[in-house]
Amino acid sequence: GFRSKELMNIFVSLPPYLQRVTRQALHAVEMIMADRMEKAARNTVSQTVMGNEIGFQPEMELDRAFYSQQTFGLIKQHLHPSSGKRVHVFASDTTCKLLGVHAEELLARIANRELSLLCTEFDCLRYVMFGTWFFATRPGRPFEILLRVRNFQSDGETGCTMTKLIQLQEFDCLGRVKAIRSIFLPVESTDFQSCLDLSDDSCLQFRKRADAGRNYETLNHSFESDLFAGETILGMQKSKDGMQRLSALAEDLEMLFQPFVQHAEKILLEGTVHPSWGS
C-alpha cells in the first residue's frame, strides 16, 4: 500500500554497487518464485481446489474482536491464495493511534497505494531486502525487525515510536499464502537492549552496525532529521559514514542472496528447479 514513487526513489538513488546487488537479488528471487508457481500450476490437485477461496468475513470479525483491546498494533492483509493479490485489509485501533491516522484514512491509503513510508528510506530498504530473504528461506517463521515507526500527526519531539515489527505468513491447506499479519509492538527504552540481545534476527549484527552506534534516545531524537535528510539514500551518499553504512549493507546482501543468484542461473541453464532447492 505504499506510494510507488517513494519506493522507487529508494532503488533508483542507490550507489552503483548496492544498486547492482539489489537488482540481482530481487531478480533472482522473482525468477525462482515464477518457476515455482509455474510448476505448481501444473499440479492437478491445485487446479481442483478452487472456488471457495475468499471467505474472510468470519476471520475479520475474529480479528476485530480479539485485537481491538490489545496494546500492540496489527495490520492483517488477506490475499487471494491463487494470485497473491490483496483482497482485504484489517487495521486495529491501536495501529491507527500508533500511526496518528484515522482508520478510514489508513485503509483508504493502503487500498489506493498512497501510504507514505512508515520509516526512513534506509530502514525501508533494510526491511524490503531482509524481509524478502527471510520469507524465501524460512517460510512460516515470524520475521522481526526493529524500526522507528512514523507518527503522521505527532506534535512531540521525535515523531516516531521505536517498534518491533513482527510479520507472519498464514497458509491454506495447499501451502499457499492466504494472509500476512504485521504486528507493531512498541518498545520502551528499558526494553530496547533486551530486544537486541534476544532477537532471532539473522541480520542482527548488521542491524547494530546500521544504527551507527546510536542508543535508544539518540535514535528517537534524530528521527526527523534522518527521515528527511540523514537516512535518505541520497543524503547518506553525501557523508563518509553514510557511504560506509550503504557499503556494509551491499556486502551483507550480496552474501545473503548469493545462493538465490546461483539457483536462478541454474534455472536459466537447465530450465528446471534443482531437486535439493527448498529441502
Side-chain angles (χ1 to χ4, degrees):
F2 295 113
R3 289 178 180 170
S4 58
K5 184 177 180 180
E6 293 186 13
L7 288 172
M8 186 63 66
N9 283 341
I10 295 175
F11 289 93
V12 300
S13 302
L14 295 174
Y17 173 36
L18 182 52
Q19 190 172 92
R20 176 181 63 80
V21 170
T22 55
R23 282 182 175 178
Q24 191 177 46
L26 294 175
H27 182 59
V29 172
E30 183 180 14
M31 284 186 58
I32 293 168
M33 297 308 296
D35 188 73
R36 285 183 176 179
M37 291 177 66
E38 182 181 348
K39 287 178 170 57
R42 302 190 199 123
N43 189 327
T44 55
V45 175
S46 65
Q47 296 297 322
T48 58
V49 187
M50 301 287 287
N52 188 25
E53 291 187 316
I54 310 178
F56 299 131
Q57 194 61 36
E59 292 188 30
M60 289 162 48
E61 295 300 328
L62 286 173
D63 290 338
R64 191 171 291 109
F66 181 76
Y67 293 109
S68 60
Q69 302 300 322
Q70 300 295 333
T71 57
F72 58 83
L74 173 84
I75 293 179
K76 185 173 182 179
Q77 302 189 65
H78 297 272
L79 310 176
H80 193 292
S82 298
S83 65
K85 293 182 178 180
R86 186 175 61 225
V87 178
H88 178 79
V89 179
F90 167 81
S92 69
D93 293 340
T94 305
T95 304
C96 298
K97 293 177 182 177
L98 181 70
L99 300 179
V101 181
H102 291 294
E104 295 79 5
E105 181 181 357
L106 177 60
L107 294 175
R109 288 189 188 185
I110 294 175
N112 297 323
R113 287 174 164 72
E114 294 179 350
L115 186 64
S116 292
L117 298 181
L118 303 182
C119 54
T120 67
E121 288 186 359
F122 183 62
D123 275 349
C124 183
L125 178 62
R126 290 196 305 118
Y127 160 73
V128 170
M129 298 306 298
F130 289 147
T132 299
W133 170 81
F134 188 93
F135 284 127
T137 56
R138 305 175 183 184
R141 290 188 57 184
F143 169 62
E144 300 181 5
I145 187 170
L146 278 175
L147 298 171
R148 293 170 293 174
V149 173
R150 182 180 184 181
N151 186 302
F152 291 97
Q153 294 184 355
S154 173
D155 53 2
E157 296 181 358
T158 62
C160 73
T161 302
M162 186 66 72
T163 304
K164 176 186 281 191
L165 173 63
I166 306 172
Q167 286 194 318
L168 305 96
Q169 296 172 314
E170 296 182 9
F171 302 89
D172 67 3
C173 60
L174 296 177
R176 302 173 300 183
V177 179
K178 68 173 186 177
I180 298 176
R181 279 186 290 165
S182 299
I183 297 171
F184 297 81
L185 186 63
V187 176
E188 301 294 336
S189 58
T190 53
D191 302 321
F192 180 67
Q193 190 58 47
S194 63
C195 283
L196 296 181
D197 296 338
L198 298 176
S199 176
D200 187 34
D201 184 0
S202 298
C203 305
L204 176 60
Q205 189 57 43
F206 176 78
R207 208 212 70 78
K208 290 180 178 179
R209 286 186 287 155
D211 287 341
R214 294 176 291 179
N215 59 22
Y216 180 92
E217 288 75 16
T218 305
L219 284 168
N220 272 347
H221 287 293
S222 62
F223 176 72
E224 290 191 30
S225 61
D226 285 344
L227 183 66
F228 298 111
E231 284 195 4
T232 62
I233 300 303
L234 288 176
M236 295 180 73
Q237 296 177 65
K238 296 178 181 179
S239 69
K240 180 180 179 180
D241 175 70
M243 281 301 299
Q244 288 176 342
R245 294 166 70 193
L246 290 173
S247 296
L249 175 60
E251 292 171 2
D252 276 47
L253 292 178
E254 189 168 36
M255 176 187 67
L256 286 174
F257 282 93
Q258 186 59 34
F260 291 83
V261 174
Q262 293 174 346
H263 186 64
E265 290 172 350
K266 288 182 180 179
I267 291 176
L268 285 175
L269 292 174
E270 303 171 9
T272 183
V273 176
H274 194 277
S276 63
W277 179 259
S279 60

